[in-house]
Amino acid sequence: MLRSELILRLSEERPEVRPREVERIVDVILDDIAAALEAGDRVELRGFGAFSVRKRDARAGRNPRTGQSVSVEQKFVPFFKAGKELRARLNNGEDPEDR
C-alpha cells in the first residue's frame, strides 16, 4: 500500500474528516516515528509491532562488478519487528513464535 492509498482509504472510512486533514495526520504520525528513530528511541505500536534502530558495524565488502575489496563504513538502519497480534493475523490466527 502506498502512502497516497492509505490516505485515500482513511478518507473513505472517515468521510467527516477532509482528505487534507487525513493527509496531515498521516504526515504527523510518520514524521514523529522518524524523529523518534532519529533520536535513537524505540517506537512500539501494541499489536502491530516495534520500530527501532540497529547499528551495523564497519566491515570489508566487495564491489560486485569488479570483485575488488571496499571498506563499508558503520551505519544505522531502521528495523521492524512485527507484534504478536500482527504475526497471528498473517498466519491464520496462530503466532509462529509460540511453537
Side-chain angles (χ1 to χ4, degrees):
M1 175 183 294
L2 300 174
R3 181 182 159 279
S4 58
E5 293 170 338
L6 173 65
I7 291 169
L8 181 62
R9 182 180 271 175
L10 291 173
S11 296
E12 290 170 353
E13 287 182 18
R14 298 287 181 195
E16 68 274 9
V17 181
R18 294 182 309 179
R20 284 262 189 226
E21 292 174 350
V22 172
E23 183 176 5
R24 179 70 182 128
I25 291 167
V26 169
D27 286 343
V28 167
I29 291 169
L30 296 178
D31 287 345
D32 283 355
I33 290 172
L37 293 174
E38 189 176 9
D41 295 335
R42 182 173 185 266
V43 178
E44 182 177 334
L45 304 171
R46 296 261 176 198
F48 184 73
F51 297 91
S52 60
V53 177
R54 291 209 172 159
K55 178 182 157 191
R56 297 252 172 102
D57 292 328
R59 61 183 173 82
R62 294 217 175 267
N63 180 330
R65 189 175 302 165
T66 64
Q68 182 180 10
S69 182
V70 293
S71 166
V72 179
E73 295 182 7
Q74 164 189 302
K75 61 184 172 182
F76 295 92
V77 295
F79 178 76
F80 176 76
K81 179 167 179 15
K84 184 174 185 165
E85 290 175 28
L86 180 59
R87 286 191 309 268
R89 193 170 176 178
L90 297 175
N91 291 286
N92 299 320
E94 286 186 38
D95 182 1
E97 291 188 12
D98 282 346
R99 296 179 194 161

